[in-house]
Amino acid sequence: MKCYTPLDLQAMDRYHRANFVNCLSGFKPATLIVTQDAAGLLNVALFTNIVHLGADPTLIGFINRPKEATPHTLKNIESTGFFTMNHVAMGQIEAAHQTSAKYPDGVSEFDHVELNELVRPEFTIPFVDGSPVQLGMKLVDIMPMKQNGTYLVIGELVCAFLDESNVAADGFIDLAEAGSLTTLGLQGYYQPKFVQKLGYARPTV
């Protein structure tokens, strides 16, 4: 194996380094986050840095890039206090990827990519039609990361929509069977394959 040091990373081209480093942490969920501004304009953007933060209450977080790079999602959440998280399905890859483009103010990605909004009476912000897992989230906190100017956005689950046939008796959700995709780096999309399910680990001594 080759040892890559910070000096090696700094010697890389900017985009080469970004892709390389984004792969190091492994596969991540492909998630479309939908927000709405005070005037009702919708924004949908692809996020992959999603993290489970707790089950009781159900907290899920994501990393938002610095405001100058991706201002709309964070600004909208700050304005309304709500957002939805939508897993990306196989037929949505190209459209989901296109939402990562920097569209100007006053433009909704729904009008320019092949994704449709889905309004549900149970929640104030629309979901992405065709997403296999759809989560309605309420803002809990936005934590600035002083090290690099990013933000950890923490939400609490309000409602979840998914096919109950993919939920086992013990609560395990088979996301591979549901059709949720994962990402690697900035460009790679993968379809997960179930390998093995183990029981709750307990000490052997």
Side-chain angles (χ1 to χ4, degrees), residues 79-92:
S79 175
T80 68
F82 295 94
F83 57 99
T84 68
M85 307 179 79
N86 305 266
H87 291 200
V88 175
M90 179 64 72
Q92 298 174 325

Side-chain angles (χ1 to χ4, degrees), residues 59-82:
L59 300 178
I60 301 173
F62 70 91
I63 298 295
N64 196 95
R65 295 171 62 197
K67 288 185 177 181
E68 60 270 18
T70 53
H72 302 129
T73 297
L74 196 61
K75 181 179 178 181
N76 290 351
I77 293 175
E78 288 175 325
S79 175
T80 68
F82 295 94

